[in-house]
Amino acid sequence: MDSTSSPLSSSPFEQVSRALGDYIPRDGAAAAADPAAPQDDRSEPPSQNGDRATTGQEQILGAVNLDLDLRITRCNLDAPAFEGLMVAVGGAFADLLPPGDIPTVTRRLRQVIETGEAHVARVQRLRRDDGSELVVSMSILPAAAPQKGLTVSLIAMARRLHLYASETAIGTSLDIGETAQSLAQSLLVWGDVAAVDLDYAVWTGEAVTEQAQGRIRLRRAALMPDRAWPEGYLTPGDNLPNEASRLLSLAVTRDDVAQALVIPNREAIERALGDPRLVRALVPVDRPVSVACMPLVLEGSEGAPPIVLGVAEVWRRPDRPFHDSELLDLQELVARTAHHVDLARQHQREHAQVLALQRRLLPRAGSDTIEVASVYQPTTPDSAGVGGDWVNSFPLPDGRTALVVGDVVGHGLGAAAAMGQLSMEARALLSAGLAPDEVLAHLDETVTLLDDADAGLAAGYSALGSTCCIAVYDPVSHQVVTSSAGHLPPILVLPDGSARALAAHPHPGLGTAFALREPFDVHTFAAPPGSLLALYTDGLVEDPAVSIDEGIDRLTDAVSKVHPWDDLQQVARSLVVEFASRSRLRDDVTLLLARMAGRRKRDTVAWRLPARDDAAARARTLAAAVLRQWHAKSDPRDSALLVISELVTNAVRFATGPITVRLIKTGHSLLCEVGDTSNGRPRLSRGGLLDDSGRGLRVVHKLTTRWGVRWTDTGKVVWAELAR
């Protein structure tokens, strides 16, 4: 058998050339067959004969042979699609590549030489001599023994094929910026520079259908290629001048019909803009240029004119005029992209709403007894990344402060809705006087209810397994009471700098204890003035490289180094930045820092009295002396003494055991507390004119700004607040 005729003896270059012979011009094939022929002489376009090229099919195939130094030894790139590529025998293949792609492609070429395994069908850009780029499908084949080197097969992506690929790729993201960037990159096939300008309302998620046409405000969303641009030229993030926005929007919606606009030369462009400032802002070069503008529009409802979302611009040299077929392809691509942009706009609106809800739940400020700082950082700007982390701190009516942090399962609108409901419910229950463990028991039932198909907040969403930790700080006793449902332990730093995670008995997350039905544990810790408490979500301490316990230890060590004089908000931000960089922000991050100041001893006083008939008189006498020391005015003092008398009388009448009386002086009010061993709840009733039952509570209600009840391990405390 004649080995010379066997295809197995041919080099990959010759096999590719032979296989593609029907698609490559005859002259080019001949040139490829003769290595001695000059490789930089381009053959003339094929004549109108029986050649397949004359059938109108676009020729898109080529091949390049490389030696071990990755230099070109032979090439066949005579198809019209490869026009403008800088190809010379002896030149480096890297000269055909954009600078940013050279390291990656070179590494793949070397890999094929070393392993002998082909690398097939990589989408790659090639650089033309005018700076524009050509998109190809590139396959790297090893040379057949005994030859050494590579054969690179190139298939120029036909515009219709590129159009299909672009339409598929553009809709893969719900991020507005990424969608616009994908469109601009795809448009480069038809020109040298591509820009996408979107209405400002698209970025904010506003209802663009309610916007009056002609008042559109455009912002540059994407610009390709990525290079240094002349001073004054608009780059991504810049707002277009109002006049430029108006001209573009009106030009592409003439006679209430969205249509492409082509300006064939620079003179016509300058006449249309009419202002040198606008020319500098919109025209990318100082040389002759032409532009095609395509509107991104939504069809108006009920015969209304189309709604302009933005404008896409393709710039190229005027010696390459835009043909009708090209404009049709451009309009088709841009029209399909407009739909994706509107979806991204709606997603952005949902993102803004969810984030606003989450920010709204963040603590606003502390008080004179506690300083609070918090940071919330979502995983990504994408709304799908907005999760259910939440943190809250608020003063309770009896002078204590509640600190709450939680992590609702999942992301998006369903998680945000569940987060909002749990946060508000926790605040209401804590303000009503319930203990942290009782509040968690109610939240557990709520999460179970939200998981019901009929009561769920979002289709397919489940909040089962959400976690929550509640801490209540008493500035008088300088104690913190905590209870947790599956959440990571708080970290307490004492004034001497010692720090530890507050150990707690582990408990499942909310809604997942149906098989155990165990009560939530309560833990009490001393927190002297100057102590620092840190509550956080798992996103802050999770790191794939270490265990969760080691992550907590890292945070404990970092928090212990916080100086009492450090600005707490700045410390919180620094900690989030430090730990987020370690974990690469795989989850939302929430951190709450609380620095305890407490009440001064001279501003509080407490007595323990036996439950006897003279207890009310004894309490009035003791309280009167203290109020005189505090220089209370006569009217508030008399009211306070009457309130104390009524509350102590009720405690003696309905309770057993000792009675506690506590007075607390705050900035503008006076807080009276009476505790007893009864679990009964005082109830305010209207009562009749001659009805003495409930008269004491009605007096308390009239004299105070607010009053309430909280329950303790030994009974209850009735508190009342009066203006000083």
Side-chain angles (χ1 to χ4, degrees), residues 190-416:
W190 287 272
D192 304 312
V193 176
V196 178
D197 304 323
L198 296 178
D199 183 10
Y200 185 79
V202 174
W203 294 96
T204 59
E206 297 175 13
V208 293
T209 55
E210 298 176 359
Q211 178 170 297
Q213 295 302 299
R215 299 181 61 183
I216 189 172
R217 298 173 298 166
L218 295 177
R219 172 181 291 179
R220 180 131 298 173
L223 179 64
M224 290 295 293
D226 185 11
R227 63 174 63 156
W229 297 100
E231 183 179 355
Y233 183 63
L234 295 173
T235 55
D238 294 339
N239 293 326
L240 273 68
N242 292 336
E243 183 63 16
S245 296
R246 188 185 67 83
L247 287 174
L248 285 175
S249 63
L250 293 179
V252 296
T253 53
R254 301 182 301 277
D255 301 324
D256 289 339
V257 176
Q259 52 189 299
L261 170 68
V262 177
I263 306 181
N265 54 61
R266 186 180 185 89
E267 291 75 15
I269 294 173
E270 292 179 349
R271 277 197 311 272
L273 295 177
D275 185 342
R277 182 176 60 91
L278 297 182
V279 173
R280 286 194 303 271
L282 297 180
V283 181
V285 292
D286 294 330
R287 299 179 181 180
V289 69
S290 63
V291 63
C293 300
M294 282 70 57
L296 287 89
V297 297
L298 293 177
E299 293 299 327
S301 58
E302 299 180 357
I307 307 299
V308 178
L309 298 177
V311 178
E313 306 154 25
V314 178
W315 301 80
R316 67 189 192 189
R317 295 170 299 176
D319 57 353
R320 297 168 54 202
F322 290 96
H323 299 292
D324 290 343
S325 60
E326 293 178 305
L327 292 177
L328 289 174
D329 290 343
L330 286 169
Q331 286 181 289
E332 180 179 345
L333 177 60
V334 172
R336 292 180 181 270
T337 304
H339 172 68
H340 295 301
V341 168
D342 189 52
L343 289 178
R345 177 194 65 81
Q346 297 177 38
H347 206 59
Q348 172 65 19
R349 180 171 58 184
E350 176 184 316
H351 167 73
Q353 292 170 345
V354 170
L355 200 56
L357 172 62
Q358 214 145 18
R359 304 283 189 196
R360 182 66 181 83
L361 296 176
L362 292 178
R364 290 295 179 265
S367 64
D368 56 347
T369 63
I370 188 171
E371 180 186 358
V372 177
S374 63
V375 174
Y376 167 72
Q377 184 170 334
T379 311
T380 67
D382 194 327
S383 60
V386 178
D389 286 15
W390 53 282
V391 61
N392 205 352
S393 72
F394 48 90
L396 297 177
D398 56 2
R400 300 174 302 158
T401 300
L403 308 170
V404 187
V405 63
D407 188 355
V408 174
V409 173
H411 295 80
L413 190 57

Side-chain angles (χ1 to χ4, degrees), residues 41-325:
D41 291 339
R42 297 289 181 179
S43 59
E44 294 298 325
S47 59
Q48 303 295 326
N49 52 26
D51 197 316
R52 183 168 181 166
T54 62
T55 63
Q57 180 167 345
E58 188 174 5
Q59 300 169 14
I60 58 175
L61 309 172
V64 177
N65 216 41
L66 306 180
D67 60 16
L68 294 179
D69 295 325
L70 305 185
R71 293 190 172 275
I72 299 172
T73 59
R74 289 191 293 176
C75 71
N76 190 338
L77 298 178
D78 292 288
F82 299 104
E83 181 182 357
L85 292 180
M86 298 180 294
V87 183
V89 173
F93 183 74
D95 294 340
L96 293 174
L97 305 172
D101 293 353
I102 292 176
T104 301
V105 176
T106 300
R107 184 169 61 251
R108 293 186 181 278
L109 293 170
R110 295 289 183 192
Q111 183 179 3
V112 174
I113 292 177
E114 295 172 1
T115 64
E117 297 179 358
H119 183 78
V120 181
R122 169 187 170 85
V123 176
Q124 179 59 47
R125 298 176 300 161
L126 301 180
R127 186 177 59 171
R128 294 188 177 99
D129 54 7
D130 60 1
S132 62
E133 295 179 349
L134 171 68
V135 181
V136 300
S137 175
M138 181 176 73
S139 297
I140 307 172
L141 310 173
Q147 300 178 12
K148 297 181 179 180
L150 300 171
T151 294
V152 180
S153 170
L154 303 175
I155 303 178
M157 296 188 71
R159 283 174 179 164
R160 291 302 302 179
L161 178 61
H162 177 76
L163 182 66
Y164 172 77
S166 299
E167 292 172 357
T168 304
I170 287 174
T172 58
S173 173
L174 285 174
D175 181 83
I176 294 175
E178 291 180 5
T179 302
Q181 187 73 11
S182 298
L183 173 60
Q185 192 166 7
S186 299
L187 292 176
L188 275 183
V189 171
W190 287 272
D192 304 312
V193 176
V196 178
D197 304 323
L198 296 178
D199 183 10
Y200 185 79
V202 174
W203 294 96
T204 59
E206 297 175 13
V208 293
T209 55
E210 298 176 359
Q211 178 170 297
Q213 295 302 299
R215 299 181 61 183
I216 189 172
R217 298 173 298 166
L218 295 177
R219 172 181 291 179
R220 180 131 298 173
L223 179 64
M224 290 295 293
D226 185 11
R227 63 174 63 156
W229 297 100
E231 183 179 355
Y233 183 63
L234 295 173
T235 55
D238 294 339
N239 293 326
L240 273 68
N242 292 336
E243 183 63 16
S245 296
R246 188 185 67 83
L247 287 174
L248 285 175
S249 63
L250 293 179
V252 296
T253 53
R254 301 182 301 277
D255 301 324
D256 289 339
V257 176
Q259 52 189 299
L261 170 68
V262 177
I263 306 181
N265 54 61
R266 186 180 185 89
E267 291 75 15
I269 294 173
E270 292 179 349
R271 277 197 311 272
L273 295 177
D275 185 342
R277 182 176 60 91
L278 297 182
V279 173
R280 286 194 303 271
L282 297 180
V283 181
V285 292
D286 294 330
R287 299 179 181 180
V289 69
S290 63
V291 63
C293 300
M294 282 70 57
L296 287 89
V297 297
L298 293 177
E299 293 299 327
S301 58
E302 299 180 357
I307 307 299
V308 178
L309 298 177
V311 178
E313 306 154 25
V314 178
W315 301 80
R316 67 189 192 189
R317 295 170 299 176
D319 57 353
R320 297 168 54 202
F322 290 96
H323 299 292
D324 290 343
S325 60

Side-chain angles (χ1 to χ4, degrees), residues 444-467:
D444 187 76
E445 295 178 2
T446 298
V447 168
T448 304
L449 175 64
L450 294 180
D451 192 58
D452 181 75
D454 296 329
L457 293 171
Y461 174 74
S462 173
L464 294 180
S466 300
T467 64

